[in-house]
Amino acid sequence: MKTQTKTFAALLILLASMAFTLKTTGYKVGDTATDFKLKNVDGKFVSLKDYSNAKGYIVIFTCNHCPYAKAYEQRIIELDKKYSPQGYPVVAINPNDPVSYPDDSYDNMVKRSKEKNYPFPYLIDETQDVAKVYGATKTPHVYLLDKSLKVQYIGAIDDNSESAKEVKDKYLEKAIAELLQGKPVTISETKAVGCGIKWKKTN
Amino acid sequence: MNRLNLLFLIIITMAVYRPLAAQNKALAVIDFKSLAPKLQASGDSLKIVNFWATWCRPCVEELKYFKLAADTFSSQKVKFIFVSLDFKSQKEKVEQFWAKNKIKGSIYLLEDDPNKWINQIDSSWTGEIPYTLIIPSNSKSSKVNGELKNYTELQSLINNNLTK
């Protein structure tokens, strides 16, 4: 091989390897998400593939302690009641470290889901690997997936965390409606404030 | 006590009360349109803008570093701006917290749709707090996404960004 070709080849390999390291961790819209197998509050393990009739999935990273998660709790329950029959179930995942945030322990998850009669699975991400792979940074943080697990929407549930009554823009519901109509999602990413995910302290 | 001493006592009380009362003043609740100009680089001062909330434990923990910095750098050209992202229904709680902690600097409660303002500050910020903006007077802004580990980290950031 000519020296010039070798140089270019080496440069291409270097650039390709840099592309992988420079990539921000977590999913972008259009990426295909991974499935998982996480423990639910009823002791059983849940994966997305368990939903044989789903048209898609509303994956929401949420928890017990965060005021934003609490403010959205009822809205998340209502989302499941409205969209699960239409093929888009809510799958809630708590990624927080229960050592530093005991309110987010498995036992407290069980307690809360019973108190509020959660109609959706409330899964514990014990190793926090699912949150890391998805790129979730806060609670609540939504990932709307289609049937093939392609990420169609990331971000906020709506435009007003504090008050459901004052909501003007239901970002997530608009995206689901578009998918149900077989249309592309027009606003596929939105921002919201939330509590940072409580990562475990590594040694 | 005699009348003169009473008079002195009244004067002393008034002198002390007025500054204390000023710290309990009402918190300004503003939208992003009103906040944005305050995030512009100042002609001569370094601006440190901290986004926090009373319910955010790491935010409250690092506020003690900001309090110390605001005191330590009070004679230098550094402006501290604190933006609370508490719910507006928690305004009084924020006011009480602020009055109790006596941190020098401007304090606002931002009430606006984050989807409209987060990207205007930093498109890579996904909305988790704490978050701190460092806005030097004549060079590029930078940020700290997450909590400061200790006071030294904040002190270094300020020293490195003050105009020489």
Side-chain angles (χ1 to χ4, degrees):
Chain A
M1 213 195 287
K2 278 196 191 153
T3 316
Q4 191 184 49
T5 315
K6 272 192 200 163
T7 312
F8 281 134
L11 195 59
L12 267 171
I13 290 165
L14 178 65
L15 284 171
S17 64
M18 278 172 72
F20 282 109
T21 51
L22 285 172
K23 186 186 166 185
T24 350
T25 44
Y27 295 136
K28 296 258 177 310
V29 170
D31 287 346
T32 301
T34 52
D35 200 350
F36 40 74
K37 191 171 176 178
L38 298 175
K39 188 162 82 167
N40 194 5
V41 286
D42 63 0
K44 301 192 178 123
F45 284 80
V46 171
S47 297
L48 297 175
K49 68 175 193 285
D50 299 340
Y51 293 85
S52 47
N53 292 326
K55 292 183 181 159
Y57 312 88
I58 308 171
V59 177
I60 306 184
F61 291 89
T62 187
C63 65
N64 282 8
H65 91 276
C66 172
Y68 280 81
K70 288 184 195 178
Y72 272 110
E73 193 189 38
Q74 190 52 39
R75 280 177 267 184
I76 292 172
I77 290 170
E78 281 158 24
L79 277 167
D80 185 76
K81 288 189 171 158
K82 182 171 176 184
Y83 292 104
S84 189
Q86 298 188 56
Y88 282 85
V90 164
V91 178
I93 301 174
N94 168 25
N96 287 341
D97 172 23
V99 172
S100 49
Y101 287 80
D103 276 0
D104 293 338
S105 71
Y106 180 74
D107 288 345
N108 282 325
M109 285 170 67
V110 172
K111 196 167 160 221
R112 187 66 186 171
S113 68
K114 282 199 177 115
E115 268 165 20
K116 290 297 215 163
N117 235 321
Y118 282 3
F120 48 80
Y122 190 20
L123 313 175
I124 186 162
D125 182 11
E126 252 159 336
T127 59
Q128 303 184 310
D129 286 343
V130 177
K132 281 180 194 148
V133 152
Y134 275 66
T137 53
K138 62 187 189 292
T139 52
H141 201 153
V142 178
Y143 290 79
L144 176 65
L145 315 180
D146 66 19
K147 198 174 171 59
S148 62
L149 302 195
K150 191 167 159 204
V151 179
Q152 294 284 351
Y153 172 89
I154 299 175
I157 291 169
D158 53 45
D159 67 349
N160 198 309
S161 309
E162 185 173 7
S163 163
K165 288 192 192 79
E166 293 180 50
V167 168
K168 294 192 191 83
D169 239 305
K170 296 185 177 179
Y171 302 128
L172 173 60
E173 288 198 64
K174 274 197 181 143
I176 300 170
E178 282 166 331
L179 290 181
L180 281 167
Q181 289 160 45
K183 292 181 187 158
V185 174
T186 42
I187 297 171
S188 56
E189 192 155 1
T190 57
K191 295 283 174 85
V193 173
C195 311
I197 285 179
K198 309 308 172 192
W199 302 108
K200 291 183 207 270
K201 311 257 183 274
T202 45
N203 295 348
Chain B
M1 86 172 79
N2 65 36
R3 280 203 196 122
L4 186 59
N5 284 351
L6 184 61
L7 181 64
F8 282 141
L9 183 63
I10 290 167
I11 293 167
I12 288 163
T13 308
M14 283 172 66
V16 168
Y17 174 77
R18 283 177 73 228
L20 281 177
Q23 282 176 313
N24 274 351
K25 69 177 185 281
L27 173 65
V29 178
I30 60 174
D31 60 10
F32 186 71
K33 203 168 122 218
S34 305
L35 179 66
K38 302 177 206 295
L39 306 182
Q40 296 302 304
S42 141
D44 62 351
S45 297
L46 167 64
K47 283 186 183 175
I48 305 285
V49 185
N50 178 253
F51 291 84
W52 68 288
T54 57
W55 47 257
C56 163
R57 213 168 78 187
C59 302
V60 171
E61 279 170 14
E62 70 166 18
L63 274 176
K64 25 181 222 291
Y65 309 142
F66 285 93
K67 182 185 160 97
L68 182 54
D71 285 340
T72 309
F73 288 91
S74 58
S75 58
Q76 300 200 50
K77 291 189 191 286
V78 190
K79 288 198 176 104
F80 290 88
I81 299 168
F82 298 92
V83 182
S84 161
L85 299 176
D86 280 276
F87 292 148
K88 70 177 191 282
S89 61
Q90 302 295 299
K91 184 178 170 223
E92 227 179 272
K93 186 177 175 196
V94 180
E95 283 169 343
Q96 284 167 6
F97 177 93
W98 209 252
K100 183 176 155 203
N101 285 278
K102 300 185 179 57
I103 302 170
K104 289 189 183 132
S106 311
I107 173 81
Y108 305 99
L109 198 152
L110 178 61
E111 203 218 328
D112 210 334
D113 174 14
N115 193 47
K116 297 194 170 70
W117 59 260
I118 288 180
N119 285 336
Q120 294 195 59
I121 292 176
D122 175 359
S123 57
S124 70
W125 181 17
T126 49
E128 65 281 17
I129 53 173
Y131 180 94
T132 303
L133 273 172
I134 299 117
I135 307 166
S137 60
N138 61 2
S139 50
K140 202 164 173 245
S141 295
S142 57
K143 66 185 175 192
V144 178
N145 193 338
E147 60 257 39
L148 295 158
K149 291 174 196 67
N150 48 43
Y151 177 67
T152 310
E153 199 185 330
L154 178 59
Q155 189 182 38
S156 304
L157 276 168
I158 295 171
N159 281 324
N160 292 340
N161 284 280
L162 273 170
T163 24
K164 306 277 178 258

